[in-house]
């Protein structure tokens, strides 16, 4: 008995099972009851009420609810108001806008979840196990420790298990370890306990799949105790992070609310001391001022613009799960990206061919016939690729179904077979790939003669070869010089991260070829080496340009993968992520660093290979702690904790796992790195538009505050009623603000650097603009009110209507200015944002309705205006735009002068 057999038998004794019979049904049932079902830890889904409460956590929304409550109480105390609309209109309007914002948020979140569920598998996996001496198929959740798994090609591994025996077993572990190629498993190795997860060749793990071969394996861990379960537990301990926009709006909203409270208290105090008005009247005035200061439409307009961004991104294959993630991409300055399937195509492809007679050819995804100078000398090598094992083609003859290596070789044959003179062939016998000998062979009958074709690890084929195919089919002995040349070629390609295979051939006598008792080791010798091929998972065609665009946009890219360092570094250099002098760092190296050393080395990282789930999480958290906004992409369960911890988590929709998608903010329906760059561009455009409409809304609100406060200080009657203020905020300001949220792109957003993580949503220049234009609009309304109030001998209704109209129309003209800080509206084109022009007309028409329709006049306390009055309002409103164009002209002149 060898050491490995003794080890697994010791494990069998430990879990108390006879591996020849399996667990008895009674023992299995007892263990299932004691240990629980074979399920991963699952976070309880948030209910409707929890999601609803989340919609009201914003400081601005809470302030609006408080204002609605105050308005409602004052309405109850007001016995002079006529009708319930006039009495409760203020409170109802505020509640309506808050409710609209909540409904939009809930609807978008639900819509994203529904779309996501379409990507998830709805079938419960099953497993074949040995129970009581019988081969049974059971639901995976009933598998327990001590069960003997019976694994076959195509099966899903449902628990961690120690191999008892295995034949030609290859497992794809990409979702767990990130290793892109299938991993050969052996039931004859005793490994030290510290062996990395990706190198535990005597174990199979939950969540992986059998690519080829068969095996028996003894279950040692299920559910939360499996390696997959440990990652799920780690994921549950990671808190969701707020996006930059959420943080900015939270800070900004809090400051606005505090400012409103301070101004309201100031007005209330001044009124008590100076004007001796009743406390109720002064309190109503203070509330009106607070309502004027708070942009009631901000939450709803932000939600609508983000929802429209979701639709725009969906057209570019990016499914947004959380609204706040739309603009978060625009703030990203680092992308931590997976390699397999995101940067690369997730399929093996022959990238190099070497034939002694005609040298080396870099195929670069093109047929060999276009690259090899002497096709005749390479024909034998290309023809041999049709004899690889387990290959199937579609009716069209070009779709290959096999493991990735065999598929790549067969594809090379299919792309070049038009140049071959094919002879009738018959496959007589296959010797499948074996992890111990690292070879696969096929006996083939051609024109009545027999031959053995072999392919596998280059060093294994070469060491069994005696000759090499030379010019015109001549057999050349493998001299030390030739062997050195082959070794040099193999080492060169391996250093480029390529997987190098040798292909050999030998003739067989008929009596030998048909002898069924012969083993592969009896025949795999005395080969003629036909040549070498090198394979790799090639980059996506658009990846290189996408990386270049990202770098131009100031984005730093770090590739994090479970692949071998050489493979990862080669792809990173090919697409431009890594430069000539850059090196790959392994996950084990990072884990050996202290937190201080990791922080010091963050700026040097560009490729991280052999990364575990813990490595990825630690790296993302370190980058976030250093002030970076990180976009983390991934597809496997091992990526999920880092995806959840990142500023913006991105999962793959096609090749990704359900766990990764659940943790993500965004799902790529095409698994393409270029889609991330498109989404970042869209995110930057959306953020710029959010800044535009916030600048617009707050300038309009500053104008309202300036006018209302000015009238209070001057001892005039209230310049606007709360209902008029709400009308301006929600209708005449809300429509153009929404249109500004859909402003077309100006220039190239990807030529700008990422904004700072802690940047204010209103920059210094924008804040000055808000105060200046707000003061201008407020002053116009205040002057008009004073003039008409005096001219009409105290006719408050007409004076208030003129001020109301000016303060409603002047922001419409200011919206034209806000489109660009420096570019004239004439240069932009009035119709380039046709939605804004439509909003301008619609808002003006609605304002006319509020003034001229009798029952609306009763609600808003307005009086019809004469044509002369309307002309005055339009001219004063237009003056705001004229001033804006003058400021832009002056700014352009200063910029040219400097």
């Amino acid at each position: 008995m060898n050491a490995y057999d003794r080890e697994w038998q010791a494990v069998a004794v430990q879990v108390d099972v006879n591996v020849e019979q399996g667990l008895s049904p009674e023992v299995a049932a007892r263990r299932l009851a004691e240990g629980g079902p074979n399920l991963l830890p699952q976070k309880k889904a948030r209910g409707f009420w929890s999601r609803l409460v989340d919609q009201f956590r914003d400081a601005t929304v809470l302030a609006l609810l408080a204002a609605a409550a105050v308005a409602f109480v004052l309405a109850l105390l007001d016995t002079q108001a006529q009708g319930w609309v006039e009495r409760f209109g203020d409170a109802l309007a505020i509640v309506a806008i808050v409710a609209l914002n909540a409904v939009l948020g809930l609807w978008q979140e639900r819509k994203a979840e529904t779309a996501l569920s379409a990507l998830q598998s709805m079938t419960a996996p099953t497993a074949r196990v040995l129970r009581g001496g019988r081969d049974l198929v059971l639901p995976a959740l009933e598998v327990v420790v001590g069960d003997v798994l019976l694994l076959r090609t195509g099966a899903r591994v449902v628990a961690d298990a120690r191999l008892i025996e295995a034949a030609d077993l290859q497992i794809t572990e990409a979702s767990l370890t990130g290793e892109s190629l299938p991993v050969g498993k052996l039931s004859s190795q005793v490994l030290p306990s510290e062996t990395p997860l990706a190198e535990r060749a005597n174990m199979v793990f939950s969540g992986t799949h059998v690519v080829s071969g068969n095996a028996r394996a003894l279950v040692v861990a299920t559910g939360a105790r499996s390696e997959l379960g440990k990652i799920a537990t780690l994921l549950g301990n990671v808190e969701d992070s707020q996006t930059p926009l959420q943080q900015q709006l939270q800070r900004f909203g809090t400051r606005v609310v505090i400012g409103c409270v301070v101004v309201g208290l100031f007005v209330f105090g001044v009124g008590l001391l100076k004007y001796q008005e009743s406390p109720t009247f002064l309190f109503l005035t203070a509330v009106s001022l607070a309502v004027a200061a708070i942009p009631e439409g901000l939450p709803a307009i932000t939600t609508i613009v983000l929802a429209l961004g979701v639709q725009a991104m969906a057209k570019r294959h990016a499914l947004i799960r959380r609204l706040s993630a739309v603009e978060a991409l625009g703030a990203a300055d680092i992308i931590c990206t997976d390699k397999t399937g995101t940067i690369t195509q997730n399929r093996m492809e022959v990238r190099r061919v070497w034939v002694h007679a005609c040298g080396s050819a870099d195929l670069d995804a093109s047929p060999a016939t276009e690259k090899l100078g002497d096709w005749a000398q390479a024909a034998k090598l290309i023809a041999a690729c049709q004899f690889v094992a387990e290959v199937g083609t579609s009716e069209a003859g070009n779709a290959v179904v096999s493991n990735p290596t065999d598929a790549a070789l067969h594809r090379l044959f299919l792309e070049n077979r038009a140049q071959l003179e094919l002879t009738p062939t018959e496959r007589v016998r296959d010797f499948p790939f074996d992890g111990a000998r690292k070879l696969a062979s096929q006996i083939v009958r051609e024109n009545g003669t027999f031959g053995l074709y072999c392919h596998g690890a280059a060093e294994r084929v070469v060491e069994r070869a005696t000759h090499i195919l030379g010019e015109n089919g001549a057999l050349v002995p493998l001299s030390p010089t030739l062997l050195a040349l082959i070794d040099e070629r193999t080492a060169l390609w391996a250093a480029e991260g390529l997987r190098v295979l040798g292909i050999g051939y030998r003739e067989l006598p008929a009596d030998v070829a048909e002898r069924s008792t012969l083993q592969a080791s009896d025949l795999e010798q005395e080969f003629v080496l036909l040549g070498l091929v090198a394979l790799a998972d090639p980059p996506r065609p658009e990846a290189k340009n996408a990386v270049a665009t990202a770098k131009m946009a100031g984005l730093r890219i770090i590739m994090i993968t479970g692949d071998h360092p050489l493979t990862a570094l080669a792809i990173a250099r090919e697409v431009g992520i890594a430069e000539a002098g850059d090196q790959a760092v392994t996950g084990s190296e990072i884990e050996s660093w202290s937190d201080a050393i990791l922080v010091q080395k963050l700026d040097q990282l560009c490729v991280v290979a052999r990364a575990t789930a813990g490595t990825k999480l630690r790296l993302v958290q370190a980058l976030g702690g250093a002030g970076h906004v990180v976009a983390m992409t991934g597809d496997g369960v091992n990526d999920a904790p880092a995806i959840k911890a990142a500023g913006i988590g991105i999962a793959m929709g096609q090749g990704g796992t359900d766990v990764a998608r659940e943790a993500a903010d965004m799902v790529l329906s095409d698994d393409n790195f270029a889609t991330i760059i498109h989404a970042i561009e869209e995110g930057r455009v959306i953020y710029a538009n959010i800044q535009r409409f916030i600048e617009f809304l707050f300038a309009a609100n500053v104008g309202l505050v300036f006018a209302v406060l000015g009238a209070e200080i001057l001892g005039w009657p209230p310049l606007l009623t709360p209902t008029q203020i709400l009308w301006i905020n929600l209708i005449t300001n809300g429509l153009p603000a929404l249109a500004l949220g859909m402003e077309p792109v100006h220039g190239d957003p990807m030529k700008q650097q990422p904004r700072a993580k802690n940047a204010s949503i209103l920059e210094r220049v924008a804040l000055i603009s808000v105060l200046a234009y707000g003061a201008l609009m407020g002053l116009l309304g205040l002057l008009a009110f004073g003039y008409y109030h005096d001219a009409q001998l105290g006719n408050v209704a007409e004076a208030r209507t003129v001020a109301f109209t000016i303060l409603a129309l002047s922001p419409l003209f200011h919206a034209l200015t806000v489109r660009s800080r420096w570019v004239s509206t004439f240069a932009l084109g009035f119709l380039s944002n046709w939605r804004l022009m439509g909003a301008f007309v619609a808002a003006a028409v609605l304002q006319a309705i509020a003034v001229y329709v009798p029952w609306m006049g009763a609600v808003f306390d307005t009086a019809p205006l004469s044509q002369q009055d309307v002309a005055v309002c339009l001219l004063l409103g237009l003056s705001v735009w004229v001033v804006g164009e003058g400021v832009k002209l002056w700014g352009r002149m200063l910029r040219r002068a400097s």
Side-chain angles (χ1 to χ4, degrees):
M1 183 183 297
N2 59 37
Y4 184 81
D5 288 338
R6 287 195 297 272
E7 184 171 298
W8 72 252
Q9 287 184 9
V11 175
V13 171
Q14 185 177 353
V15 298
D16 192 17
V17 64
N18 179 346
V19 296
E20 300 302 327
Q21 293 293 316
L23 294 174
S24 68
E26 295 77 17
V27 172
R30 186 174 68 249
R31 292 187 180 183
L32 182 62
E34 293 172 352
N38 180 28
L39 292 173
L40 296 178
Q42 294 183 345
K43 185 178 180 180
K44 185 178 179 180
R46 291 195 308 149
F48 170 79
W49 294 110
S50 175
R51 294 171 184 248
L52 182 62
V53 169
D54 283 348
Q55 310 303 319
F56 299 97
R57 296 186 184 278
D58 181 75
T60 306
V61 173
L62 292 174
L64 289 176
L65 289 176
V70 171
F72 183 77
V73 171
L74 292 175
L76 290 177
L77 299 175
D78 185 6
T79 58
Q80 299 179 353
Q82 301 295 319
W84 67 271
V85 173
E86 183 178 352
R87 191 172 184 183
F88 296 100
D90 298 342
L92 291 174
I94 297 174
V95 170
I97 198 64
V98 171
L100 174 62
N101 179 66
V103 169
L104 287 170
L106 285 172
W107 173 77
Q108 180 55 44
E109 191 172 341
R110 175 60 181 166
K111 183 179 177 182
E113 293 296 335
T114 301
L116 183 68
S117 65
L119 296 171
Q120 298 173 344
S121 172
M122 301 302 294
T123 57
T126 59
R128 288 184 62 194
V129 300
L130 188 64
R131 286 267 181 95
R134 297 173 58 198
D135 183 343
L136 301 177
V137 177
L138 301 174
L141 57 84
E142 295 182 12
V143 172
V144 297
V145 172
D147 266 326
V148 177
L149 295 179
L150 304 176
L151 302 175
R152 301 288 184 273
T153 300
R156 177 178 173 179
V157 182
V158 299
D160 292 0
R162 177 68 63 88
L163 289 173
I164 299 172
E165 58 185 16
D168 309 323
L169 185 65
Q170 287 194 307
I171 303 285
T172 176
E173 297 182 338
S175 65
L176 182 65
T177 66
E179 173 64 62
S180 59
L181 291 174
V183 179
K185 297 290 184 176
L186 300 171
S187 59
S188 58
Q189 278 188 306
V190 177
L191 301 172
S193 58
E194 65 273 11
T195 302
L197 188 66
E199 298 174 12
R200 297 180 193 174
N202 57 13
M203 290 282 295
V204 292
F205 300 101
S206 177
T208 62
H209 290 80
V210 180
V211 175
S212 63
N214 54 79
R216 287 195 304 154
L218 180 60
V219 174
V220 296
T222 62
R225 292 171 291 279
S226 67
E227 293 296 333
L228 198 63
K230 293 175 184 176
I231 295 176
T233 302
L234 181 64
L235 175 63
N237 295 328
V238 177
E239 295 294 329
D240 289 317
S241 59
Q242 283 191 318
T243 67
L245 180 63
Q246 287 175 311
Q247 295 170 1
Q248 290 172 337
L249 287 178
Q250 190 175 64
R251 290 195 300 266
F252 191 63
T254 301
R255 291 168 184 167
V256 168
V257 170
I258 293 173
C260 292
V261 171
V262 170
V263 172
L265 291 174
F266 172 76
V267 170
F268 185 75
V270 169
L272 281 178
L273 295 174
K274 186 174 181 180
Y275 303 114
Q276 304 299 318
E277 297 283 356
S278 70
T280 302
F281 175 81
L282 292 173
F283 191 62
L284 180 61
T285 303
V287 171
S288 298
L289 191 62
V291 171
I294 298 174
E296 286 82 1
L298 177 59
I301 294 171
T302 303
T303 300
I304 293 171
V305 169
L306 292 177
L308 292 172
V310 168
Q311 296 178 13
M313 289 186 176
K315 293 177 181 178
R316 305 185 84 166
H317 309 292
L319 171 65
I320 301 297
R321 297 190 62 219
R322 281 179 271 277
L323 277 180
S324 56
V326 174
E327 70 75 37
L329 280 164
D333 62 336
I334 291 182
I335 303 175
C336 292
T337 179
D338 189 21
K339 177 185 77 69
T340 306
T342 308
I343 296 293
T344 65
Q345 300 178 32
N346 196 20
R347 68 168 193 168
M348 296 300 289
E349 192 172 80
V350 177
R351 307 293 303 279
R352 309 274 198 282
V353 173
W354 178 81
V355 178
H356 175 52
C358 54
S360 174
D362 183 351
L363 300 189
D364 192 24
S366 299
T369 52
E370 299 178 10
K371 297 288 185 176
L372 291 170
D374 188 345
W375 165 252
Q377 306 298 335
K380 186 72 172 177
L381 172 72
I382 302 297
C385 291
Q386 70 180 301
F387 301 122
V388 296
E390 298 182 33
V391 171
T393 59
S394 67
E395 293 182 0
N398 55 9
V400 179
V401 180
S402 175
N403 75 52
T405 299
D406 289 354
L409 293 174
H410 196 68
R411 196 179 302 114
L412 178 65
F413 163 73
L414 293 176
E415 291 173 349
N416 295 278
R417 62 181 172 180
Q419 300 289 335
L420 298 172
E421 295 182 5
L422 297 177
T423 57
T425 59
E426 175 190 357
R427 295 168 71 109
V428 177
R429 187 178 177 188
D430 287 336
F431 298 99
F433 181 86
D434 183 281
R437 72 184 208 282
K438 295 185 178 180
L439 297 172
S441 298
Q442 301 79 32
I443 298 177
V444 176
R445 188 202 309 267
E446 299 178 275
N447 291 332
T449 63
F450 293 89
L452 179 76
Y453 287 91
C454 177
H455 72 282
E459 64 275 12
R460 294 298 177 90
V461 176
V462 171
E463 70 186 12
R464 288 167 171 76
T466 58
H467 292 76
I468 191 169
L469 191 67
E471 293 185 6
N472 301 318
L475 301 184
V476 179
L478 274 174
S479 64
T481 302
L482 281 174
L483 288 172
L485 177 64
I486 294 169
D487 287 344
E488 180 183 356
R489 175 64 55 184
T490 302
L492 177 64
W493 284 352
E496 295 177 7
L498 301 173
R499 184 181 184 188
V500 187
L501 302 181
I503 297 181
Y505 172 79
R506 64 168 294 191
E507 292 185 357
L508 294 176
D511 61 329
V512 173
E514 295 176 340
R515 196 182 306 167
S516 60
T517 58
L518 288 175
Q519 300 299 312
S521 57
D522 300 323
L523 301 175
E524 291 172 343
Q525 53 188 314
E526 298 182 358
F527 286 127
V528 174
L529 181 65
L530 301 179
L532 304 175
V533 294
L535 303 93
D537 181 6
R540 287 178 176 267
E542 63 278 10
K544 190 170 186 177
N545 287 337
V547 169
T549 301
K551 288 190 171 183
M552 179 183 69
L555 294 161
R556 183 171 151 226
I557 302 173
I558 302 176
M559 179 190 287
I560 308 177
T561 177
D563 271 348
H564 191 279
L566 288 177
T567 304
L569 190 58
I571 291 294
R573 286 174 175 167
E574 187 170 353
V575 299
I577 293 175
E579 305 296 338
D582 292 332
Q583 297 297 320
V585 176
T586 64
S588 58
E589 289 180 77
I590 290 179
E591 290 303 320
S592 68
W593 295 343
S594 66
D595 290 342
I597 293 176
L598 175 59
V599 171
Q600 291 176 4
K601 292 182 176 288
L602 284 178
D603 292 339
Q604 304 169 19
L605 296 178
C606 64
V607 178
V608 180
R610 292 295 191 220
T612 65
T615 305
K616 296 177 182 181
L617 176 59
R618 187 179 178 215
L619 183 58
V620 166
Q621 290 176 331
L623 288 167
H628 297 288
V629 178
V630 182
M632 172 71 196
T633 77
D635 55 4
V637 177
N638 61 326
D639 298 313
I643 287 174
K644 187 175 181 181
I648 173 74
I650 306 171
M652 305 298 114
Q654 293 181 345
T657 60
D658 291 349
V659 177
R661 288 193 286 262
E662 287 290 345
D665 301 297
M666 183 176 86
V667 179
L668 304 182
S669 61
D670 61 353
D671 293 8
N672 194 337
F673 181 79
T675 300
I676 301 173
I677 305 304
H678 295 323
I680 287 175
E681 179 180 4
E682 192 72 35
R684 290 187 174 187
V685 172
I686 290 169
Y687 182 78
N689 286 343
I690 290 174
Q691 285 183 306
R692 283 189 181 93
F693 75 68
I694 286 180
E695 182 177 339
F696 164 76
L697 284 176
F698 275 90
N701 280 59
V702 166
L704 292 175
V705 171
F706 189 94
V708 172
L709 184 59
E712 170 72 13
I713 293 174
L714 293 172
W716 294 348
L719 188 138
L720 297 173
T721 67
T723 307
Q724 290 174 343
I725 293 171
L726 283 173
W727 175 264
I728 292 173
N729 266 331
L730 301 180
I731 305 301
T732 59
N733 286 354
L735 292 175
L738 185 58
L740 285 171
M742 294 178 276
E743 177 72 16
V745 180
H746 296 167
D748 186 352
M750 301 307 281
K751 288 184 178 179
Q752 303 168 6
Q753 295 299 300
R755 69 180 188 270
K757 184 177 181 179
N758 297 320
S760 173
I761 199 164
L762 279 184
E763 302 166 354
R764 180 179 173 184
V765 175
L767 187 59
I768 293 173
S769 173
V770 164
L771 296 175
Y773 285 106
L776 174 61
M777 290 185 284
L779 182 61
L780 293 174
L782 192 64
L783 291 175
F785 181 85
Y787 173 78
Y788 274 85
H789 184 258
D790 291 341
Q792 300 299 327
L793 301 177
N795 187 339
V796 176
E798 185 174 352
R800 182 177 289 151
T801 303
V802 171
F804 174 41
T805 303
I806 290 172
L807 291 171
L809 294 181
S810 56
L812 301 182
F813 289 98
H814 180 55
L816 301 176
T817 302
V818 174
R819 292 182 63 193
S820 174
R821 185 152 294 147
W822 306 112
V823 182
S824 168
T825 309
F826 295 101
L828 291 174
F830 284 91
L831 295 179
S832 59
N833 186 350
W834 58 268
R835 296 179 183 86
L836 180 59
M837 300 310 299
F840 188 110
V841 173
V845 170
L846 289 170
Q847 179 64 21
I849 291 173
V851 171
Y852 290 105
V853 174
W855 71 268
M856 291 287 283
V859 172
F860 291 103
D861 192 22
T862 57
L865 299 177
S866 67
Q867 292 182 356
Q868 182 179 353
D869 295 338
V870 172
V872 169
C873 293
L874 288 173
L875 286 173
L876 289 178
L878 181 65
S879 67
V880 177
W881 175 65
V882 172
V883 170
E885 287 295 310
V887 170
K888 289 183 181 182
L889 177 61
W890 180 55
R892 291 195 299 271
M893 292 173 62
L894 288 178
R895 293 175 73 183
R896 283 196 294 267
S898 60

